[in-house]
Amino acid sequence: MTMAEAQLGGLQDEFTCLVCLYTLNDPVTIPCGHNFCLKCLTDCWDQSQECSCPQCRHTFTTRPELNRNTQLNEVIKRYKRPRLSPPLSQNYAGPGDVECDFCTGKKFRAVKSCLTCMASYCQTHLQPHYEVAALKHHKLVDPDRNLKEKFCGKYQKSLEMFCRTDKTFICLMCAVNEHNSHEKSALETEREGKKKQLVETQSEIRKRLEDKEKKLKKTRSTVEEMKVGGIKMTLHIKERGEKVKE
């Protein structure tokens, strides 16, 4: 290790994004002087009603334009240190975890599944999806152990559509070749429709249960009234019988 590398190595905290706690990726410098990953800061501000520095909490009246700090990015590229990660023992896949498809030997726990690659990745093997331009557009989801069920065996493509005519999931090639004239919808559209339908069904079932509960209460009340009425009638007849004897 050169003296320059040793000196820069001691500045690891300066190269760490305080949002994700990893080495800066596409670093941007905001007016208060602090650095963050472009994606981390963008996501942070998109989810907040105000734009403030996650480190010093300085608030900006107008959202600053985020431009990559080219010089800092080159320094990080040249002297990049491993990203911070939990102890290895915590990364090993355990019962119920989805395993990384690219680990050899003992498998690490997957942190994401890619619907484009149809594979699951641990934190280390996932990095290219954040750093390689050709992979950045891939669709990442939470670890999914049922990826094969979302994969078209005929065309080796991910199932991205639903054929309403045949009531089956299809890929884009299926949509063009076998289901061209059929009624189709995007999976997200179909999922939202099913979710809405489920909510309506649950609401209807809840209403039916409430109606049945009301009827049951009314029936119980009627039975109680009949019991009371029967007791009163019995007492009345008994009283009349005693008066006749007298």
Side-chain angles (χ1 to χ4, degrees), residues 227-238:
K227 285 182 179 179
V228 173
I231 292 172
K232 288 182 178 179
M233 180 64 70
T234 301
L235 292 174
H236 179 68
I237 294 173
K238 187 176 180 179

Side-chain angles (χ1 to χ4, degrees), residues 127-144:
Q127 284 310 118
H129 277 76
Y130 295 125
E131 298 170 354
V132 179
L135 301 178
K136 286 184 177 181
H137 71 280
H138 286 192
K139 187 172 183 179
L140 298 175
V141 297
D142 289 335
D144 191 338

Side-chain angles (χ1 to χ4, degrees), residues 75-240:
V75 172
I76 292 174
K77 271 186 178 181
R78 186 174 178 184
Y79 299 102
K80 196 169 186 180
R81 296 173 64 83
R83 286 179 174 247
L84 300 177
S85 60
L88 293 180
S89 59
Q90 294 184 20
N91 278 341
Y92 285 123
D97 288 333
V98 178
E99 296 181 345
C100 174
D101 292 318
F102 289 84
C103 285
T104 57
K106 192 170 183 179
K107 300 279 188 178
F108 284 144
R109 175 174 53 84
V111 295
K112 289 290 182 181
S113 293
C114 177
L115 296 183
T116 307
C117 301
M118 297 308 293
S120 298
Y121 299 88
C122 65
Q123 186 65 60
T124 300
H125 289 118
L126 181 66
Q127 284 310 118
H129 277 76
Y130 295 125
E131 298 170 354
V132 179
L135 301 178
K136 286 184 177 181
H137 71 280
H138 286 192
K139 187 172 183 179
L140 298 175
V141 297
D142 289 335
D144 191 338
R145 66 178 65 258
N146 299 315
L147 283 178
K148 290 183 179 179
E149 296 178 6
K150 300 175 182 178
F151 194 66
C152 175
K154 184 173 182 179
Y155 293 105
Q156 307 301 305
K157 301 285 185 182
S158 59
L159 301 175
E160 300 180 27
M161 304 187 73
F162 181 77
C163 177
R164 293 179 175 174
T165 304
D166 291 340
K167 300 188 184 303
T168 186
F169 296 103
I170 58 176
C171 71
L172 294 177
M173 293 298 293
C174 289
V176 173
N177 296 327
E178 284 88 16
H179 303 262
N180 189 33
S181 59
H182 294 180
E183 183 183 0
K184 300 176 287 291
S185 65
L187 281 187
E188 195 61 35
T189 302
E190 195 67 24
R191 186 180 296 112
E192 289 301 317
K194 293 294 183 183
K195 187 186 295 183
K196 183 179 179 182
Q197 185 179 357
L198 179 60
V199 171
E200 292 174 351
T201 301
Q202 289 175 334
S203 178
E204 185 179 343
I205 292 174
R206 193 179 298 113
K207 187 176 182 305
R208 288 179 182 177
L209 289 174
E210 290 174 353
D211 290 342
K212 286 185 178 181
E213 185 65 25
K214 288 179 182 178
K215 289 180 181 179
L216 183 58
K217 286 183 179 179
K218 187 175 181 180
T219 301
R220 286 173 177 169
S221 177
T222 302
V223 170
E224 289 299 320
E225 290 176 359
M226 291 176 65
K227 285 182 179 179
V228 173
I231 292 172
K232 288 182 178 179
M233 180 64 70
T234 301
L235 292 174
H236 179 68
I237 294 173
K238 187 176 180 179
E239 288 176 358
R240 288 187 61 184

